[in-house]
Amino acid sequence: MNSYRKWVFIIAVFTQMLVAAPQWPQFRGANCSGVAENDKPPIEFGPDTNLLWKTPVPSGLSSPCVWGNRIFLTAFDDGKLVTLGVDRKSGKVLWKQAAPAEKIEETHKAGSPASATTATDGERVYAYFGSYGVIAYDLEGKEQWRKRLPIGLVINGSGTSPALLKGRLVLNGDQQEGKSFLIALDPKTGKELWRTPRPSFPSSYTTPVLWTHDGLDEVIVVGSVHTVAYSLTDGKERWRVAGTEG
């Protein structure tokens, strides 16, 4: 969402969306591409046009993650980092679970410690908070596993989201003080599959994407000054190119 969501409705659900069970499984959809090739959203929508429901939710900056009749969001509610499960047809909040963060990260005044969009594979939903790490729930809100990954200083606060890439949950942990890393987890268990240090990359807010070419699966991460490709299999760097902002 482009604007700061604060105690207002989260989404307008349109008649066209209810025809088939949709999948918008992570930040910007499949492989974070922002493309929905077969969907036909309404040309006009607003408070009095094509609106089926609206639901008040806590503040946050995450985008809706959709799987079938469920919508998932992260939010900051009364000092707690929470994940919400919402019924897509009615807008009813079905469940709310809090992450046990000991300290909430500092953010820009227009930002939020609940910025990451959740990801789902239809079996589990994965919520990430820079102040805590990753927690996996089933679609009914029951916790499946947790992985503490509290980061240090990220200027303006964390803005990256977890990405499901061919059976791996990949997360960008760029931060200050040479502590940046890229990590891949097993979505079923939370087990760390590989971790690659990125000490030369300070704070960034990008989400990893997958590029498959010539039989290779590469994780692409845009960072300070360079864009880098890593092997999805073991996290080893394959190539980099300069040209991005510092």
Side-chain angles (χ1 to χ4, degrees):
M1 286 185 174
N2 293 326
S3 59
Y4 187 55
R5 190 189 70 222
K6 187 175 183 180
W7 308 105
V8 295
F9 66 87
I10 55 170
I11 188 172
V13 181
F14 309 104
T15 303
Q16 292 92 329
M17 294 176 62
L18 294 177
V19 175
Q23 294 180 10
W24 194 256
Q26 56 192 3
F27 176 64
R28 303 191 77 237
N31 198 27
C32 309
S33 68
V35 176
E37 294 181 353
N38 298 318
D39 289 309
K40 296 180 179 180
I43 297 175
E44 296 180 358
F45 60 90
D48 301 315
T49 306
N50 287 321
L51 177 68
L52 292 183
W53 55 259
K54 61 182 181 180
T55 299
V57 293
S59 65
L61 290 177
S62 66
S63 300
C65 168
V66 182
W67 191 279
N69 288 323
R70 292 288 185 271
I71 299 172
F72 306 104
L73 291 170
T74 58
F76 191 49
D77 185 17
D78 194 24
K80 295 182 179 180
L81 301 166
V82 299
T83 304
L84 304 173
V86 179
D87 183 89
R88 186 176 64 90
K89 291 185 177 180
S90 67
K92 179 182 178 181
V93 176
L94 300 174
W95 56 266
K96 180 171 69 173
Q97 296 284 19
E102 297 177 359
K103 181 180 179 181
I104 304 300
E105 65 174 322
E106 294 184 7
T107 68
H108 188 275
K109 63 181 180 180
S112 170
S115 293
T117 297
T118 60
T120 183
D121 51 16
E123 296 184 17
R124 291 165 291 273
V125 56
Y126 309 94
Y128 170 71
F129 301 98
S131 304
Y132 179 76
V134 184
I135 303 182
Y137 304 97
D138 66 17
L139 302 195
E140 304 305 318
K142 182 178 180 180
E143 183 176 322
Q144 303 298 292
W145 55 262
R146 60 177 66 181
K147 174 74 172 180
R148 284 183 53 83
L149 288 171
I151 56 177
L153 174 62
V154 178
I155 296 175
N156 295 323
S158 175
T160 188
S161 296
L164 282 166
L165 308 178
K166 283 196 172 181
R168 286 171 167 77
L169 187 67
V170 182
L171 185 71
N172 172 16
D174 282 357
Q175 55 192 290
Q176 300 299 116
E177 302 176 343
K179 298 179 180 179
S180 298
F181 62 89
L182 184 69
I183 191 171
L185 306 175
D186 182 345
K188 294 182 179 181
T189 64
K191 177 183 177 181
E192 188 171 313
L193 301 176
W194 51 258
R195 181 191 296 236
T196 301
R198 288 166 49 86
S200 62
F201 290 87
S203 297
S204 75
Y205 318 95
T206 58
T207 298
V209 298
L210 177 70
W211 184 31
T212 299
H213 66 98
D214 301 324
L216 301 174
D217 291 326
E218 295 181 337
V219 181
I220 311 298
V221 183
V222 179
S224 177
V225 181
H226 289 90
T227 297
V228 186
Y230 301 89
S231 167
L232 180 62
T233 303
D234 56 20
K236 292 183 178 179
E237 182 176 329
R238 290 190 180 276
W239 54 262
R240 66 172 57 196
V241 60
T244 55
E245 283 200 32

